[in-house]
């Protein structure tokens, strides 16, 4: 390295000529000229998203990927001499053989520009996402992506839905073994997966009830709840290029791949240690899990003890069927053939992801669209505008990691939500629903400390806190929030409304419960960004004699501190979400066995624990009724966790889209979407 020169936030291309180095800067939409001798720098504005740059034939040539153009700069003055249209997403550019050559990744073409007229004189279709181009030995050489799908204009029956998203960071989890419940990837996996058991393409309550998918029926349960037997339905096959049938052996191999001892960075949100032989396998002491047996069309799973949540665990995307030959990958494989309604036909990280209808799928699930294309890059405002204008089809705030204007969601709600003119005309376009898998937010009261050891004091806090103010001052989901007082949220299996506390303080009832208890100082531990929430808690608890002392830690330190035995806090924030779609995954954090790792309330009540363990062994509707009762008991009688809100997902559709179904476990059902008839 001879020297280093700062060249902007995101330099994307470089060329040398006329005594200067020319650098295209992708996010700042300019070109930097660096004088080779003096090092002097100047910037020249060009189009949107400059990507490639080349020097020659009397100009500096820059591809503007977001505008679909090439800008020609005068190398002496820096002035823009021409802007030339070349396609939809030009990236690579080269000068040679008397012409300028442009690789258009969006259109699958290479364009030839005549520098004497500044016009495109020829366009050659090469397909497969061309990105790099150079000229040598009398030929033009172009790089193309091997995995790219055919152009979406050939998607055929059903049409194409286009989905703009800001980031594909979560798409790293498109390998089922690396998936997490409630993630953006899980929504895509629901459209592509085939599982033993799954959830119907329907809203709540039907959509939260497990049904057989590749299994012929719900399992036969024997041996006192320790043996589950499934019969596999014929006819399911993986998408191209695999095309293999899905069998009982497929699911055994899938389970072993997901929990392979070599899958070190994959951390499924649940354990299978209660399956016979799982621990030796995970420790690398056995080649297979002895308690998972495949014979013909029969899959048998043997447990060490009864576990009523096994069916819900088997229905997670983590155990979505993958071909037996799929290798174990620590980083994940984002394009595995799938046996569901759709499959991933192409993925170019940072640019696009394409789902296409699986030609081998003949099951009952909907699959109306020919393809679904994710365009990666537009921010929330751009995405909403494009959907509103009809140039894109679907925008979901769940898919965004960045910020957008705070007035965006209210505006969409007013114009296109349930009470809007559009809804009254029979075509609502903006929908808000509980965010799948995220759960509720609240404040954990440390029952292991003297101040909150008594349930009446905890209940007094639950009456004194202003839930509406807490929800308004917390960090909400982009789509908004709903005030609640319980752990289980609408649409989650086992949910039943409790309504034990008001949205605003009831100080009379709070003071009655505090009678004889005095009050005291409550140390409140918080992560950064919670200052406004702390102010609300201080204000609300002062009238009942509790002085709140907030203390803020960096996120990592905060989490480590509250998970330390004997930690000296009285209150902390928390999330009551589940790791998978079963109420056990939410309420088991109030089992004393989870102290201090997950039981931030340090709640330990032997009678409640006995009922909790009894519910864990139940299956079917009886299981959900038992957990609904436990949720009500925690909320109304024990109050170790004062819940105040759950977040909403906002989903916005273009006017031409229809068949919008909010699946309570996975969010908007991609497989069910369709294009409305004109």
């Amino acid at each position: 390295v001879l020297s280093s020169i700062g060249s902007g936030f995101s330099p994307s291309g470089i060329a040398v000529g006329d005594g200067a180095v020319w650098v295209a800067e992708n996010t700042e939409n300019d070109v930097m000229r660096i004088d080779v001798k003096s090092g002097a720098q100047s910037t020249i504005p060009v189009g949107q998203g400059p990507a490639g740059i080349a020097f020659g034939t009397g100009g500096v040539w820059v591809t503007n990927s977001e505008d679909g153009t090439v800008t020609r700069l005068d190398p002496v003055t820096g002035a823009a001499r021409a802007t030339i249209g070349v396609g939809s997403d030009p990236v690579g550019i080269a000068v040679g053989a008397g012409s300028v050559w442009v690789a258009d990744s969006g259109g699958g073409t290479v364009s030839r520009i005549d520098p004497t007229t500044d016009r495109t004189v020829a366009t050659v279709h090469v397909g497969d996402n061309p990105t790099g181009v150079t000229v040598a030995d009398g030929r033009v050489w172009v790089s193309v992506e091997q995995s790219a799908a055919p152009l979406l204009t050939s998607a055929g029956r059903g049409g194409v839905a286009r989905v703009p998203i800001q980031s594909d960071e979560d798409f790293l989890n498109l390998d089922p073994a690396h998936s997490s419940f409630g993630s953006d990837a899980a929504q895509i996996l629901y459209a592509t997966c085939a599982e033993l058991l799954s959830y119907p393409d329907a809203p709540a309550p039907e959509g939260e009830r497990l049904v057989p998918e590749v299994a012929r029926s719900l399992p036969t349960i024997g041996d006192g709840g320790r043996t589950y037997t499934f019969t596999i339905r014929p006819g399911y096959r993986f998408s191209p290029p695999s095309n293999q049938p899905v069998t009982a052996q497929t699911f055994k191999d899938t389970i072993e791949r997901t929990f392979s001892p070599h899958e070190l960075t994959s951390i499924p949100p649940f354990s299978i240690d209660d399956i016979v032989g799982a621990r030796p396998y995970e420790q690398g002491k056995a080649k297979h899990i002895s308690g998972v047996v495949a014979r013909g069309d029969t899959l048998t799973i043997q447990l060490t003890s009864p576990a009523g949540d096994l069916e819900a665990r088997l229905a997670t995307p983590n155990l979505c069927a993958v071909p037996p030959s799929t290798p174990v990958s620590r980083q994940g494989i984002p394009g595995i053939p799938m046996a569901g309604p759709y499959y991933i036909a192409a993925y170019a990280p940072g640019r696009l992801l394409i789902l296409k209808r699986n030609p081998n799928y003949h099951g009952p699930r909907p699959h109306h669209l020919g393809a679904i294309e994710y365009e990666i890059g537009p921010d929330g405002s751009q995405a909403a505008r494009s959907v509103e204008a009809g140039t894109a089809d679907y925008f979901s705030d769940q898919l965004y990691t960045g910020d957008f204007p705070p007035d965006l969601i209210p505006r969409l709600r007013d114009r296109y939500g349930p009470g809007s003119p559009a809804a009254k005309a029979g075509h609502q376009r903006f929908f808000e629903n509980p965010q799948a898998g995220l759960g509720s937010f609240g404040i954990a009261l440390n029952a292991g400390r003297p101040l909150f050891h008594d349930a009446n004091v905890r209940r007094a806090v639950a009456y004194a806190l202003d839930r509406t103010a807490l929800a308004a001052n917390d960090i909400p989901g982009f789509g908004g929030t709903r005030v609640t007082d319980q752990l289980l949220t609408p649409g989650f299996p086992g949910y039943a409304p409790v309504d034990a506390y008001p949205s605003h303080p009831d100080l009379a009832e709070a003071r009655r419960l505090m009678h004889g208890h005095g009050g005291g100082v409550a140390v409140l531990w918080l992560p950064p960004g919670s200052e406004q929430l702390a102010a609300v808690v201080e204000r609300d608890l002062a009238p009942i004699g509790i002085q709140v002392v907030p203390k803020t830690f960096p996120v990592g330190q905060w989490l480590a501190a509250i998970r330390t035995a004997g930690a000296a806090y009285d209150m902390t924030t928390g999330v009551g979400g589940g790791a998978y779609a079963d109420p056990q995954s939410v309420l088991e954090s109030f089992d004393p066995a989870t102290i201090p790792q997950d039981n931030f309330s340090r709640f330990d009540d032997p009678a409640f624990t006995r009922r909790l363990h009894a519910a864990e062994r139940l299956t079917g509707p009886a299981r959900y009724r038992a957990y609904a009762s436990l949720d009500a008991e925690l909320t109304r009688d024990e109050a170790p966790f004062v819940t105040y809100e759950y977040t909403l997902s906002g989903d916005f559709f273009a006017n031409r889209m229809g068949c919008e179904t909010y699946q309570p476990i996975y969010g908007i059902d991609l497989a069910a979407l369709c294009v409305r008839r004109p």
Side-chain angles (χ1 to χ4, degrees), residues 34 49 57 118 143 185 252 316 379 387 522 624 648:
I34 305 169
T57 63
D118 292 334
S143 67
K252 174 179 171 62
T316 63
D379 64 26
V387 171
Y624 297 141
L648 302 174

Side-chain angles (χ1 to χ4, degrees), residues 268-355:
F270 56 88
S271 169
I272 60 164
D273 287 353
D274 55 348
I275 296 180
V276 172
R279 288 188 179 180
Y281 175 76
E282 292 172 310
Q283 295 167 358
K285 298 178 181 178
K287 291 184 177 180
H288 298 284
I289 301 174
S290 60
V292 181
V293 179
R295 291 193 178 95
D297 64 353
T298 300
L299 180 75
T300 303
I301 299 177
Q302 185 179 2
L303 303 176
T304 58
S305 59
D309 69 333
L310 178 66
E311 295 177 15
R313 283 183 276 163
L314 294 173
T316 63
N318 299 93
L319 298 178
C320 159
V322 299
S325 59
T326 306
V328 172
S329 169
R330 296 183 182 183
Q331 289 76 37
I333 303 171
I336 298 172
M338 293 294 191
Y342 290 86
Y343 72 103
I344 298 173
Y347 179 40
R351 295 185 53 252
L352 65 90
L353 179 139
I354 300 172
L355 306 182

